[in-house]
Amino acid sequence: MSEQEDQSAGRQRTVDVYDFRRPTTLPRQHSRVLEVAFETFARQWGTQLTAKVRVKSTATLEQLIMQSYDEYAASLPSVTAMVLCRIEGSESRLVMQFPATAALSWVTRMLGGASETAVPDRKFTQIEQSLISRMVEDGLEDLSYSLGALLTTPVRMDVIQYNSQFAQAAAPAELMIVASFTVKVGESLAAASLAIPADILLSGLGDVNPTVHSRDAEALVRAQVTQVPVDVAIQLSPTPVTPAQILGLAVGDVIPLPHLENRPFDVAINGTRLATAAPARNGSRAAAVIVTIEENQR
């Protein structure tokens, strides 16, 4: 489609700037592992909200990306609730973000208020902050359970910020794993997000494509080949026959073989002769005693 046709169709092209010196794309293997973990967290979070607000609630993972903290903060509303959480051993903070109005409506339901009550966009009172803090702490427990070995360091709630531009959870250029959720409480929908420093999670995922030095290749191949099962056959020397002879076979027919009566049997693997053996017995079973070995250099 030409540019003129594209414009006439009412489409608008967008261009995303990508810095190859600082790649911010999650490898597919890492992305899938993290998606499963955050989907588990979403289910746990929805169950927790249902129990607290006493109305059916769900949380759905919408997007999982890696971006700088500056980009993440710029994507948030200027006024919102950002809960900064301390990660033991790290100067950066984990961020749990949700609209303040949504959190206030959750508190209203927890205290027995009506769902239709209009909630103003304001800071939390001391009582409201106490209730929301408890909700966040339970959410952090669910997060720790969902991420498992990916997040082994303790995470504790620190402070709540209401301006995304003033909340300094990490350095502007630091990469964050950002999970976006849609939280539904009753009939109300709210957009929430979770941002975790990338180095905290990626260190537990390991290498995407682990490699082994080439000098160990021969030993690794040899070790692998020695464990591959093969079929060993003890057989007489074969003789060629025509299709007519095969079709004319009948009970009692004799097929002469070139194998001498005093010659040992052939020991073959996948049709390749490797040794000769004489018939023997091992207890109640037939056996073969290796007589000679043929070296095949290929």
Side-chain angles (χ1 to χ4, degrees):
M1 180 180 288
S2 66
E3 183 176 356
Q4 184 177 2
E5 292 174 340
D6 194 15
Q7 292 176 353
S8 62
R11 298 179 182 176
Q12 294 183 350
R13 295 181 177 181
T14 58
V15 178
D16 294 330
V17 178
Y18 187 84
D19 188 353
F20 287 92
R21 296 170 299 179
R22 186 173 57 85
T24 57
T25 302
L26 277 171
R28 182 176 300 177
Q29 296 91 325
H30 289 177
S31 180
R32 185 54 192 154
V33 172
L34 292 173
E35 282 178 1
V36 171
F38 283 113
E39 285 171 356
T40 301
F41 167 71
R43 290 192 295 270
Q44 297 284 340
W45 193 15
T47 302
Q48 179 208 133
L49 282 174
T50 300
K52 290 185 179 297
V53 303
R54 296 185 294 277
V55 66
K56 184 177 180 180
S57 306
T58 59
T60 306
L61 177 66
E62 298 293 347
Q63 187 181 38
L64 180 66
I65 59 176
M66 182 164 63
Q67 57 184 177
S68 67
Y69 177 74
D70 190 43
E71 294 169 336
Y72 167 65
S75 67
L76 299 177
S78 57
V79 179
T80 187
M82 294 181 65
V83 183
L84 308 187
C85 305
R86 290 184 176 274
I87 304 174
E88 188 173 307
S90 174
E91 295 183 359
S92 302
R93 301 285 190 269
L94 179 150
V95 180
M96 182 180 288
Q97 175 270 331
F98 40 77
T101 53
L104 290 172
S105 68
W106 301 341
V107 171
T108 300
R109 288 180 179 273
M110 291 171 62
L111 299 177
S115 58
E116 297 80 9
T117 304
V119 180
D121 193 356
R122 57 174 175 78
K123 295 182 179 181
F124 305 144
T125 65
Q126 187 173 357
I127 295 177
E128 291 166 346
Q129 182 164 327
S130 178
L131 293 172
I132 292 172
S133 297
R134 180 56 185 169
M135 188 182 300
V136 170
E137 290 171 357
D138 291 342
L140 292 176
E141 291 181 6
D142 292 336
L143 181 64
S144 179
Y145 165 79
S146 302
L147 293 177
L150 299 179
L151 185 63
T152 56
T153 54
V155 180
R156 297 180 178 84
M157 178 178 167
D158 189 6
V159 296
I160 299 178
Q161 295 284 352
Y162 299 94
N163 191 312
S164 59
Q165 304 306 314
F166 294 156
Q168 295 299 322
E174 182 171 354
L175 294 178
M176 309 287 284
I177 302 295
V178 180
S180 302
F181 303 89
T182 296
V183 182
K184 183 178 182 181
V185 177
E187 299 300 325
S188 302
L189 295 176
S193 64
L194 194 64
I196 306 176
D199 59 346
I200 298 294
L201 296 182
L202 297 184
S203 61
L205 289 170
D207 295 333
V208 177
N209 295 310
T211 58
V212 179
H213 199 280
S214 59
R215 66 170 176 267
D216 300 326
E218 182 179 354
L220 292 172
V221 171
R222 185 180 298 276
Q224 183 67 26
V225 169
T226 57
Q227 301 300 320
V228 177
V230 294
D231 294 328
V232 178
I234 308 299
Q235 60 188 24
L236 302 173
S237 299
T239 185
V241 295
T242 64
Q245 289 176 291
I246 296 296
L247 295 175
L249 286 176
V251 177
D253 288 349
V254 176
I255 300 177
L257 299 175
H259 199 99
L260 299 178
E261 184 177 356
N262 61 349
R263 178 185 169 184
F265 296 148
D266 293 335
V267 179
I269 297 178
N270 293 333
T272 302
R273 181 184 174 191
L274 298 179
T276 59
R281 183 179 297 276
N282 184 11
S284 60
R285 296 185 178 184
V289 177
I290 302 298
V291 177
T292 61
I293 295 179
E294 299 181 8
E295 294 291 340
N296 290 275
Q297 302 292 337
R298 293 187 180 180

